[in-house]
Structure formats: C-alpha cells, structure tokens
Amino acid sequence: MHTTEQKLKERIKELTCLYEVTSLIVNCDYDKVEHALKGIVKCMERAWQFDKETYVALKTVDFDLKTDEKGTDYVFLESPITTFNKPHGSIKVGYPAPKYSLEDFLEEEQQLLDNICLEVGNLLERKEIRENEVRIRRQVEQADRLRILGEITAGIAHELNTPLANILGFAELLEERVADDSQASKDLKKIITNTIFSREVVKKLMFFACEMPQEKETVNIVPIIEDAIDLMRSTLKQSDISCDLKVSEQIITLRIDKIQLTQVIFNLVVNAIYFSPPKSTISVHVADKNKKVILKIADQGSGIPEDVAQHIFEPFYTTKPSGEGSGLGLSVVHGIVKSHQGTILHKKNNPTGTIFTIEFPKT
C-alpha cells in the first residue's frame, strides 16, 4: 500500500510531466517536431513510479523514439496515438519483467499516458494541417506562375513558327543549288539541323501552353505505355538501367490523346534515366481505380532538392548542364496533364529517388 505521502509524490510527478509535455507542445517549432517528441519521451521516463527502470517507446508513421533499455523483456502500458480519428502510432511505457508485472502500474499512470497520447496526436494533426496549407499555397502560386508563363510562351511560339518555317524552306532550296560546294552543303546542313531542333523547341512550347490541337479518343493505354517504354530500351541498356512496368490489369481504358500520353511517358522516363545510377531500376505502375487512372514513375536517383522542387514545372528551368536539356520536358508534361484535367505531383522515393504520380480522371 502506498502512504498518503507516496501518493502525493506520484501525483506531483505526473502533474509535472503533463505540464512539461504541454509546454513542449505549445512551444514546438513544426519543423522540429522530433526534438519536441524526444523531450516528451524523456519527461515520461521521469514521471513513472519506478523511474530508474522505466522504458518509454514512442512510435508513429514518421518517428521511432526510445529511451535507454534497462532489460530484455518488459511489461507495458500502451496507449494509441490518433490523428483525424485514425491510428497514427502509439506510446508504450514498460518495466523490466519478471521483476515487475502489470499490477505494479498505477491507475493514474494509464490516465497520464492516455492524456499524453491525446496531446501528441493533436500536435501531429496541427503539423499536418500546417504542411497542407503550405503545400496548397505553393500549388496556387505555381499554378498562377504557370498560367502567366503559358500565355507568354504561346505568343512566343506563334511568333517563332513563321520565321523558322521560312529559314528551313529557303535553306533546303539553297542546299539543292550548292550541291557541288561541299563546305556550303555542310554549313546548310547545320542550319537545317538547328532549325529543326528549334522547331521542336517551339512545338514543346506549344504543348506546354496547350496550343497543340488534341485528338482525344477512348483507348486502352497499356499498349501505348508498353510501346513508349520499348522505344527507350536501347537508351536504358546503354545506361545500364532496367525499367519495370506493372499494370493492375491488361485493359485500362482512358479518353486521351495518344501522342501526348506517349510524350508524358517519354519525358518522365528519360528524366528518370538521366538522374538514375547504373544498375538501378525505374518503376512504372499503372492502376485503374474506379473513376481515375493512376500512373506512377519512380526512380532511384539523387532526388529533387527542396529549393528546386517548386520550380521543376517551369519552362526553361533545368538542373542539367548547358546543352543537355532545354528545361521544357516537365513543363510540357505538366501542360499535357492539366489539359486532360489531371494532376501531377512528386515526392521522395524510399530510400532515394523521386516518385511522380499522375492522376487522370476517367469521366
């Protein structure tokens, strides 16, 4: 039996712990939640009756924190952490077994544990809400920038089309006239090659600005994606990279422009190849889920730095060395996806790399 003095001492420890936990949560920087959780775990270790032998383990989707172990086997009090009424993790407080049993825990200690789990869940909810607000704000800002850039690039593309067509036409005519002059022929070939390259850049600009006419039809997209990947087999082989395609079923129908879908696959896989190390695998997953089709392309490369992430869909923005990329690939993909009322997002792959997720509505 505990004396009145012992009971009072335990209540003081519990109230002190709850006060410290509340203070850590109130003053928590949402970018340093792990630091606050470590502090909470340490507070809890001191709050239990046999504090010298108490072991605390906090585990959530993102964190796995523990105090120093005092044995190999334990008896535990446990309470769940929930966020938005869904399980998110748990906190366990244990004593070494068989020295202690569940009867050695106080009823008030279970109540304290439940209260702490409730507070931790509230903290993680607020963190998630804040992150969602930041992400939505960035998406709105990015959509605004892309809309303005789309209008500008559409005008540029139209202005460049006519002079490029004239340069190409007259260069081809001159090529016939100077067939006997080898140096002039070489120079003209360079002009023609660079003009064709410039025309392709203009075409990408028009794709980005959604100025290219679409020919949508309801098709099975599986063979289209298979063909697009097959066309890149030689590039994959040269880079010593494999590409793994998985589909939820062999017939996945979608109303889409076939050429533009091919371009989306091309650009994303080519990007993945460029940033992937040898011997790695690029995964392409296609799933038909009720009212939408989900396309995921994951690589095992170096990933996208945080300071770059918000710019990757902007035209002419590239992290590749000069001459190795026009900076239009992802902006074209973004324009095509948006023109099909779809969404495109990216996140970190585990342990390294990037996952691009595209969702196309089926209606």
Side-chain angles (χ1 to χ4, degrees), residues 185-251:
S185 293
K186 285 180 183 178
D187 292 341
L188 281 169
K189 277 188 181 2
K190 288 179 182 177
I191 292 171
I192 291 168
T193 301
N194 282 282
T195 306
I196 291 171
F197 174 80
S198 300
R199 192 174 63 180
E200 288 302 308
V201 171
V202 170
K203 192 181 291 184
K204 286 182 178 180
L205 282 171
M206 294 178 76
F207 266 122
F208 167 73
C210 302
E211 291 290 319
M212 293 293 287
Q214 287 182 333
E215 294 183 8
K216 290 184 181 179
E217 55 182 312
T218 302
V219 293
N220 178 14
I221 64 170
V222 174
I224 297 171
I225 295 171
E226 287 174 340
D227 290 344
I229 292 171
D230 283 339
L231 287 170
M232 287 181 279
R233 289 296 176 192
S234 60
T235 306
L236 287 160
K237 189 174 181 181
Q238 287 172 8
S239 302
D240 196 15
I241 295 168
S242 58
C243 186
D244 179 31
L245 172 63
K246 291 182 180 177
V247 295
S248 61
E249 47 200 283
Q250 286 303 312
I251 298 177

Side-chain angles (χ1 to χ4, degrees), residues 30 33 63 123-132:
Y30 290 117
V33 167
F63 305 104
L123 170 64
L124 297 176
E125 281 184 2
R126 291 196 296 274
K127 176 179 181 287
E128 189 173 336
I129 289 168
R130 179 179 176 274
E131 288 173 347
N132 286 338

Side-chain angles (χ1 to χ4, degrees), residues 1-13:
M1 284 291 290
H2 291 85
T3 65
T4 303
E5 185 180 349
Q6 286 174 322
K7 289 180 180 180
L8 181 59
K9 184 180 176 182
E10 290 306 315
R11 295 300 80 72
I12 291 171
K13 285 168 64 177

